[in-house]
Each structure stands twice: as structure tokens, then as C-alpha cells.
Amino acid sequence: MTSSIQVLGACPHDCPDTCALVTTVQDGVAVKLQGNPAHPHTAGVLCTKVSRYIERNDHAERLVQPLKRIGPKGSGRFEAVTWEAALDDIAARLSECKSNNPETIVPYSYAGTMGLVQGESMDRRFFHKLGASLLDRTICSTAGGEALSFTLGGKVGMRVEFFAEAKLILIWGSNSIASNLHFWRHAQAAKRAGARLVCIDPRKTETADKCDEHVALLPGTDAALALALMHELIVNDWLDRDYIAQHTLGWEQLRERALQWPPARAAEVCGVPEAQIVALARAYGTTKPAAIRLNYGMQRVRGGGNAARAIACLPALVGAWRDRAGGLLLSSSGLFPVDRAALQRPDLLAGRRPRTINMSAIGDALLDTANPIHALVVYNSNPVAVAPESGKVVAGFAREDLFTVVLEQFQTDTADHADYVLPATTQLEHWDIHTSYGHTDVLLNRPAVAPRGEARSNTWVFRELARRMGFDEPCFSDDDETLCRSAFAPGAIDFDELQAQGFTSLKLPDAPFAEGAFPTPSGRCEFFSARLAALGQDGLPDHVPNYEPAGSSKAFPLAMISPPARNFLNSSFVNVKSLRAIEGEPLLEIHEADAAARGIVDGATVRVFNERGEHRCRAEVSRRARPGVVHGLGIWWRKLGLDGTNVNQLTSQRLTDIGRGPTFYDCLVEVAPDA
């Protein structure tokens, strides 16, 4: 007799939406995955990617047993071994490194799962006890996140559901249809009620197609646009002077800075018509409530932190925070009272202060002979594909003297370079607890099916390594359900409700900053940041030009951004055949004028190159590209590319002005027909 159950879970992927899932299981097999209709944010709807999650879970190429390298690094040649043999050898190798200098061991992880348990609990305890180098996890959002901290006090903002009530929405640096689908539902509701939607993005995205207006600014010029908007707000007195006086800091200094940015100056820098800037400022200054949905694409340039700061100042100038449908949202993650000390146990460092390695510069770090890395443990990430300047990353991973362990679900580019590959569970196979950076609910994920083959959770692996290395603190015995319960302090969330329905909502005011009370040191929106000034930086936001501004190089005249392909999520889902079939092959979008000047026809194979490397892909002569800017859609696994590379062959390891983040979209190239 067939038995069927439904198991409540959460989407683990790096997306603001953090959807609630319902998995139908028959006789131990997952047969259906859907969005949870009872969860208001998910409302039963999943993106195309996650709707194929069972296909990914049951993929024929899932790793199901531990593997030991038998061929050259990068060859992908391995033999199966037992867990006992693999873990014994790994523990011995790490113990040897520890006895010499534990800081030569480096963990490398990011948001392959956004779960607090499988992503940042037992692993952190293990590496803290070990005394390994710390990892500065910067590769996505630190420029914008720290910018918000210096301006608003943290990753805080308006609640996403109230965008539905806004009368003007600026969608800034976000292809919401592809990467924030459930916000788009609220934006559409606002539009049906008469709201105006404006997309600000170098690329004419699918979202731009559906908005009332598209501002196609050049990459890295967002702060110039924001300052010009401020200029117009000031000269036309479209200001909420009472809100400014009561709830902001540094107004006079910001006013002086903004008045240096008339629309004509910004138009030249941004590459957009002056009249468009003037009209946008009028709309923002005179429409109430006005809301800004900011996303992380715009902060992946040299001046990304300053740009996020400048944009985050705008709502306070017009008093948009007074209304629950006004303000700004970049990330809501700072609203969650996560007890990270309980999860990660930094006390296990016992006073030690290991060095910190910036994950965005892992290529240089692996090639640094003066400060060597001898062992690397990679989980929840695929750095050979996703880290910048991947020619150096590959060279670093190819070192025969580097001991590399990779916890993975598939044989990725990074797994190909491992000494051991350990098969990891998927979200359908383990416990986890999730916050969100796009809404304000906590979600619980229960395992729906047994792990495939010998796959094991990240927490299990680090518990077993801790045992072998003699780490006998009781915290190394915590099981995953215990870890879920320890993620929040007692009483911070309703865990009974979380268990019963799979989600629980934070209790927050509708308009959190209507009366100021920002979580900054001053309690105000800080136009001028004394904390930044104390670090030797400009306390006011300013336009900081790209390292590689568009049009500044004769050799490399095209600016390249590398936004995600619609059916991939970073490098996840690239090996799901139904999704890869939709994407086809690695693609470069180029404007018809730039293509014609280079003798490039639609569908041709082209060389994209700069001083850092070369990448071959197919060109699409596209209306989505503006003149002077090309789009290398990513992130493909290197081994699935035409020549074993991807767009990160071209990106640099230089860092952002604030937050030490990567500058993926600050990249000049030339494009030529493939010889």
C-alpha cells in the first residue's frame, strides 16, 4: 500500500525570497515539490529553478560516496573510499598542519545553503577550536551591507509586503523578475493600483521590460545619479525638513556635497539624458509614498559602498520612512535576532586572533608564498567558478602541495581540484533553520527523504572530524535539531509555531523608522558617518569612479557586467539539464552598434579578453545591451564553457571602497570574432 506524506521545508538558495516548501513523499521518494500556499510570502509560487529541485536532488550525477584523488589536480580522476578512511586521513593531515601552524588551514564557504545550521554552526565551532585562519565572507554583499550599517545602522529597511501600497517604486540594480520573484508580485500589485515603476540598471532586463521607465546608466555611476537626485530635491525644496531635522545627522554637509552634482554633471557621468534625471527627481520628490528596492548588483564596483550609502540617504530627505509603503529595502537580514555566538562559539578561539583571508582574493592568497595556505576546506561554495580572476584561482587550486577537501553534491570545477570530495546532503535530506534577506519570517526545514547513497550533512562531517581530532567540548555533540533550537535566544521566536507550520513571523512595526529610532549610534539616519571618518574614509557619500571606468581604455573600450543567467543561481543549477537547455550555452549580450563595429554577427563565437585573461562564448546582438556595455551572463561551470573558462577569467580581485567586497562589474574588456 502506497503511503504519502507532506514535509514542510525552506528553500536554501541565495535569494531574498526564502520560500516555504512542501515536499510530497511517497514510500520514501520525493515525488512533488511546491511552494507552501499557507506562507504569505511564498503564496504557493516557486521560481523556475527551485521548481526543478527534485530533478537536482535525484540527479544521476549526485555524489554518493567519498572520493580520493588519483589523478592530477583538475583532472577529475578519483576513486571511491570509505568514510572512515577519508575522515581518518583528513583529520591526520589537518592535525599535522595544526601542529605546525593552524593558520595555514583555511575554511572557504559562502551561501551554497543559506541555512544557519548547515551553513554556519558546527563548521565554525570546528575551525574556531582548530585555530584556523578566519574567512572574510565578502563575495556577495559586504559593500552594500556595511554601507547600510554606516547609514541606517544595519541591514534593515521597509517590509517587503508594503511595496504593494507604494505610488512610486524605484527598482535599483535588481532584475526582480529573475532574482526576487515574490517582491515582483507586490510591485505588480502596486502598478495595478496606479503606481509608477522605474528600473535603474545598465541592462534592459526582463524587469525593465515590465516597468514604466528604464534608466540605463553606465556601470558604477549609481552614486552620481543619487547625488543628482538629491540636488534636485534641494533646489526644488522637495524635502521633509522636519524629518531631516529630527531624524538625520550631517544634513548641512550632505547638502553641500549634493549641490556639487547638478543633473548635467551626473548625466555626463552616467551616460543618461539630463532630462531623465530631472524628471526622476521630480517624481521621487513629489510622489508619496515612494519606495526603493535596492539590490546588490549595483555595489559590485569600486565605489559600491558609497553608492549604496548615497541611495540609502534618499528616503530620509523626503520623509518616505513616515509611511509603511515608503523607504528602502536592500536587505532585511539585520532584523533577525540570530544568536550567532551560540551557533558559532567564537569562545573556542580561547583568545587567539588568527589572520583573516578575504574570500574575494582567494586567487592571490593561494599563490602567496610568504603567508602560505597549506590546507583548504571548501563547502557551500564553488570558488574555482565563482571567485574573481579565476586564472589565478585555478593556479592556486592546482598546487600539488595544497591539501584540499571539498564537501559537495556534484563534481564541480572546485571538486575536480580536491584531494578528497565528500558527498553532501541536499535540502530535502537534512535539518536547517533559515532567516531571509527579503522578508521577515523564520523558516524551518525538516528532512523529507533519506540521504542519497552515503551523502552526509555538513554538520555530521565536522562533528566526525572534531571527534577524530580530540575536540571533546559538549558542543561538538549537538545534533541538528538542537542546533536549530539554539539559533535564536529563548523567547526570540515562537519555536512551537515554527514547528507546527514551518514558519513564524518576527513581530515588527509596520513603519520601523517613522519616528526615527534608527539602529545607528546616534539613533538617526547618518548622512555623515563619524565611524567612517574615524577609519580615514569620507564621512559623506560621494561618487567614487570605477577602477576601470567605461570608455577610459583604448585597448579595452567595453565595460562588462556579469549578471546571473535567469535559470541559474550563481553556479548552482548549471548541471540541471532542463535548466541548462533553456540557457543553451555561455552568452555575451552586445549592442548592435558595438557588434557592427567589430564585425560580429548574432550567434557568432567571440573572444572576450583583457589583460587578465580570455574567454570564448557565443555573442547575442541584443536590445538588452546599451552601447559601450556588454553582459557576460553567468555563472557557468568552467568545464561546461567553450574553452574551459567562464566570465570570471576576466574579472579582477580589486576590492570595494567599503566592505572589502569584490568588483565583478568593474571590468573593461574587448570583444573580437573568434579566429
Side-chain angles (χ1 to χ4, degrees):
M1 184 176 178
T2 300
S3 63
S4 177
I5 60 170
Q6 290 190 323
V7 182
L8 301 178
C11 175
H13 289 290
D14 189 359
C15 164
D17 292 5
T18 317
C19 291
L21 307 179
V22 179
T23 304
T24 302
V25 179
Q26 288 184 357
D27 297 330
V29 177
V31 296
K32 182 180 180 181
L33 181 75
Q34 63 193 100
N36 187 346
H39 182 232
H41 291 288
T42 304
V45 177
L46 296 179
C47 68
T48 303
K49 299 178 282 285
V50 177
S51 68
R52 314 287 176 91
Y53 198 84
I54 291 177
E55 182 181 345
R56 188 174 187 275
N57 185 83
D58 295 348
H59 200 295
E61 296 170 4
R62 269 287 301 275
L63 296 172
V64 294
Q65 54 191 342
L67 302 173
K68 181 179 181 179
R69 178 171 65 92
I70 56 173
K73 288 198 171 183
S75 67
R77 291 173 52 200
F78 293 85
E79 65 179 5
V81 294
T82 65
W83 271 108
E84 288 295 316
L87 292 173
D88 285 349
D89 193 22
I90 292 166
R93 296 287 294 270
L94 295 181
S95 294
E96 181 182 355
C97 289
K98 181 178 184 293
S99 65
N100 294 320
N101 179 2
E103 293 182 25
T104 62
I105 303 168
V106 175
Y108 192 103
S109 69
Y110 198 64
T113 174
M114 296 291 284
L116 296 174
V117 171
Q118 303 303 336
E120 49 178 301
S121 64
M122 196 62 66
D123 56 310
R124 308 296 171 90
R125 297 178 182 187
F126 176 78
F127 290 112
H128 284 152
K129 176 66 177 178
L130 192 60
S133 288
L134 303 175
L135 186 71
D136 200 5
R137 291 176 168 84
T138 61
I139 204 157
C140 177
S141 61
T142 50
E146 291 195 14
L148 244 63
S149 177
F150 287 120
T151 311
L152 306 180
K155 292 183 180 179
V156 296
M158 59 183 290
R159 286 167 55 180
V160 69
E161 57 266 37
F162 297 134
F163 276 91
E165 301 170 11
K167 297 303 181 186
L168 174 70
I169 302 176
L170 307 187
I171 302 175
W172 203 319
S174 177
N175 185 8
S176 304
I177 289 176
S179 61
N180 193 186
L181 184 63
H182 294 77
F183 155 75
W184 182 246
R185 177 166 54 95
H186 298 305
Q188 287 291 85
K191 187 176 182 181
R192 287 192 297 271
R196 181 172 178 80
L197 272 54
V198 180
C199 179
I200 303 172
D201 198 302
R203 180 175 181 253
K204 189 172 179 59
T205 61
E206 296 89 344
T207 302
D209 288 341
K210 301 293 186 182
C211 287
D212 297 290
E213 183 181 358
H214 176 215
V215 181
L217 76 179
L218 289 167
T221 64
D222 303 81
L225 176 59
L227 287 163
L229 297 181
M230 293 182 201
H231 178 283
E232 292 299 281
L233 297 177
I234 293 166
V235 300
N236 291 286
D237 199 22
W238 294 322
L239 300 168
D240 186 329
R241 294 185 177 276
D242 179 67
Y243 194 91
I244 291 170
Q246 297 295 323
H247 305 307
T248 72
L249 187 70
W251 160 236
E252 289 301 328
Q253 298 104 308
L254 181 67
R255 182 180 185 279
E256 183 178 347
R257 173 67 52 83
L259 288 175
Q260 299 169 18
W261 280 93
R265 180 186 180 191
E268 186 174 350
V269 170
C270 299
V272 300
E274 179 182 354
Q276 189 174 36
I277 297 175
V278 172
L280 181 62
R282 176 178 293 275
Y284 188 72
T286 61
T287 307
K288 297 184 185 302
I292 300 173
R293 181 62 174 106
L294 188 61
N295 213 342
Y296 287 114
M298 48 68 61
Q299 48 97 71
R300 295 189 179 118
V301 293
R302 178 191 179 194
N306 266 274
R309 285 206 72 221
I311 297 164
C313 290
L314 290 170
L317 292 175
V318 298
W321 292 114
R322 292 187 188 278
D323 195 295
R324 70 180 191 176
L328 173 144
L329 178 62
L330 171 61
S331 171
S332 58
S333 63
L335 296 167
F336 291 86
V338 177
D339 190 348
R340 283 190 162 81
L343 278 174
Q344 301 180 9
R345 296 294 301 275
D347 58 293
L348 293 168
L349 282 167
R352 295 169 295 184
R353 294 186 176 180
R355 66 174 176 173
T356 298
I357 301 293
N358 189 326
M359 70 185 306
S360 297
I362 191 63
D364 283 343
L366 288 173
L367 298 175
D368 183 356
T369 55
N371 302 284
I373 297 172
H374 293 319
L376 192 66
V377 181
V378 180
Y379 54 104
N380 301 337
S381 189
N382 182 13
V384 173
V386 306
E389 201 170 354
S390 56
K392 287 187 175 180
V393 180
V394 170
F397 270 83
R399 284 174 37 208
E400 284 295 331
D401 65 329
L402 175 70
F403 179 63
T404 305
V405 178
V406 175
L407 285 64
E408 251 300 350
Q409 297 159 357
F410 296 99
Q411 194 70 33
T412 62
D413 293 326
T414 305
D416 282 344
H417 289 80
D419 293 286
Y420 281 98
V421 182
L422 305 180
T425 48
T426 70
Q427 191 75 346
L428 299 186
E429 300 166 346
H430 56 228
W431 282 91
D432 220 328
I433 191 169
H434 290 256
T435 62
S436 172
Y437 62 99
H439 61 70
T440 50
D441 289 351
V442 178
L443 279 71
L444 184 68
N445 187 78
R446 297 173 182 271
V449 295
R452 285 282 300 280
E454 297 177 40
R456 297 291 183 268
S457 68
N458 293 344
T459 48
W460 184 90
V461 171
F462 289 110
R463 273 191 288 264
E464 288 296 309
L465 287 173
R467 182 171 63 82
R468 283 168 169 78
M469 297 187 72
F471 300 169
D472 56 7
E473 286 82 355
C475 69
F476 289 107
S477 298
D478 287 348
D479 63 23
D480 286 3
E481 188 173 354
T482 299
L483 291 169
C484 286
R485 288 181 173 276
S486 67
F488 294 85
I493 62 169
D494 188 335
F495 205 90
D496 291 338
E497 183 177 73
L498 184 62
Q499 282 191 305
Q501 64 183 23
F503 61 90
T504 187
S505 300
L506 298 181
K507 301 199 170 25
L508 299 166
D510 284 359
F513 310 123
E515 301 297 331
F518 292 91
T520 55
S522 66
R524 296 169 175 240
C525 175
E526 296 192 352
F527 299 149
F528 179 87
S529 171
R531 290 175 294 161
L532 268 178
L535 295 172
Q537 297 207 45
D538 193 339
L540 292 171
D542 202 357
H543 168 59
V544 178
N546 278 6
Y547 292 112
E548 302 178 14
S552 64
S553 168
K554 290 184 178 179
F556 308 113
L558 298 172
M560 186 188 78
I561 61 174
S562 44
R566 182 169 181 175
N567 293 287
F568 300 156
L569 203 161
N570 300 323
S571 74
S572 297
F573 296 98
V574 178
N575 64 321
V576 175
K577 292 179 181 178
S578 64
L579 296 173
R580 193 165 79 237
I582 299 171
E583 292 298 332
E585 59 185 316
L587 182 69
L588 185 86
E589 295 175 340
I590 185 169
H591 187 270
E592 60 181 359
D594 294 324
R598 292 161 175 78
I600 294 168
V601 298
D602 186 58
T605 301
V606 293
R607 295 168 48 240
V608 192
F609 59 95
N610 58 22
E611 59 191 7
R612 290 178 288 274
E614 179 176 305
H615 167 56
R616 290 171 64 246
C617 60
R618 182 171 63 83
E620 180 177 290
V621 179
S622 175
R623 66 179 182 83
R624 299 203 180 280
R626 59 158 291 162
V629 181
V630 295
H631 316 138
L633 303 184
I635 301 173
W636 284 78
W637 290 6
R638 289 169 59 88
K639 60 185 172 183
L640 296 177
L642 298 183
D643 58 357
T645 66
N646 67 16
V647 291
N648 280 324
Q649 196 78 6
L650 309 167
T651 54
S652 86
Q653 294 179 81
R654 287 182 289 211
L655 303 178
T656 54
D657 53 347
I658 297 170
R660 309 161 308 284
T663 56
F664 289 112
Y665 296 0
D666 189 339
C667 178
L668 290 183
V669 301
E670 180 58 293
V671 183
D674 190 35

